[in-house]
């Protein structure tokens, strides 16, 4: 069965960077895009972008362009999301999620990681 | 401000039926498939409907989905206390070239 396991909670100071990992198993890693979605405390879901784990191609929502970098390591079936120049309002749970349909970045998620809480505080 | 509009809350008694609406525009709901997610407190979202009206394996047929124009609806019949959760609609927005979600609807089973 498809499983996505994310790295543990992080506490960062404003201005720092954070890198969250997401290890996939249970299917062929390169066949499906990954999305990153975040959820601030008590708020809704916010889509950040996707990565094609095979080619490494990425597409970020304009709000995060210049601050977010998504990467893939096919040798260990893991994708990463790095967010830089952190601010207090970046405090959120960050989810990786695998697209439902084969080979399509516009296919919304079917499987989700457990989430990684990133707290930004001085 | 979410791109897709959902009611903040809905409620109904156990055994009853509830519907949750999701409204958008021609660049998102009107021309792309809708997914619905159930999020229990403190957990990750779970897909309960995709391609407007298709249920993933393991989702009971008490859950149904529909779409008409720029609006979509999730229906749940035979409500159970375990259905209490936040529900989100989501789709691709061709104009923004981005995934978009509704603000979420809190379902209370009275």
């Amino acid at each position: 069965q498809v499983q996505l396991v994310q790295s543990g909670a992080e506490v960062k100071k404003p201005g720092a960077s954070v890198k969250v990992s997401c290890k996939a198993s249970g299917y062929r890693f390169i066949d499906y895009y990954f999305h990153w979605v975040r959820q601030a405390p008590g708020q809704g879901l916010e889509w950040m972008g996707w990565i094609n784990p095979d080619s490494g191609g990425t597409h970020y929502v304009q709000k995060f362009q210049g601050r977010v970098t998504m990467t893939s390591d096919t040798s260990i079936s893991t994708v990463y999301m790095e967010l830089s120049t952190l601010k207090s309002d970046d405090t959120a749970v960050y989810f990786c999620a695998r697209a439902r349909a084969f080979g399509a970045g516009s296919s919304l998620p079917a499987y989700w990681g457990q989430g990684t809480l990133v707290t930004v505080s001085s | 401000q979410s791109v897709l509009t959902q009611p903040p809350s809905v409620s109904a008694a156990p055994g009853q039926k509830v519907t949750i609406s999701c409204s958008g525009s021609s660049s998102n709901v009107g021309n792309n498939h809708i997914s619905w997610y159930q999020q229990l407190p403190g957990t990750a979202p779970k897909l309960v409907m995709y391609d407007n009206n298709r249920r993933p394996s393991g989702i009971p047929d008490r859950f149904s989905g529909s779409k008409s124009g720029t609006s979509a609806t999730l229906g749940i019949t035979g409500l159970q206390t375990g259905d209490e959760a936040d529900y989100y609609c989501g789709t691709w927005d061709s104009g923004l070239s981005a995934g978009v979600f509704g603000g979420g609807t809190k379902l209370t089973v009275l």
Side-chain angles (χ1 to χ4, degrees), chain B residues 6-13 17-21 74 76 79 84-85 87 104-110:
Chain B
Q6 297 180 235
S9 64
V10 296
S11 62
K17 173 182 177 178
V18 72
T19 60
I20 300 172
S21 62
L74 177 70
I76 311 172
L79 278 171
E84 278 205 344
Y87 289 84
T105 299
K106 182 176 181 59
L107 168 62
T108 301
V109 180
L110 302 167

Side-chain angles (χ1 to χ4, degrees), chain A residues 35 37 39 43-47 50 59 61 95 100 105-106 108-110 112-114, chain B residues 35 37 39 43-47 50-51 88 90-92 96-101 103:
Chain A
H35 300 267
V37 177
Q39 186 171 36
Q43 302 301 307
L45 303 173
E46 181 177 27
W47 188 82
W50 56 245
H59 178 71
V61 72
F95 294 102
R100 188 193 63 78
S106 60
L108 257 64
W112 296 67
Q114 83 275 19
Chain B
S35 296
Y37 300 92
Q39 187 177 33
T43 69
K46 174 184 177 182
L47 183 69
Y50 68 95
D51 288 356
Y88 294 90
T91 188
W92 186 256
L96 297 173
S97 196
V100 292
F101 294 98

Side-chain angles (χ1 to χ4, degrees), chain B residues 2 12-13 19 33 43 49 62 65 70 82-83 95 97:
Chain B
S2 302
T19 60
H33 290 305
T43 69
M49 198 68 57
R62 299 187 298 107
T70 58
D83 297 330
S97 196

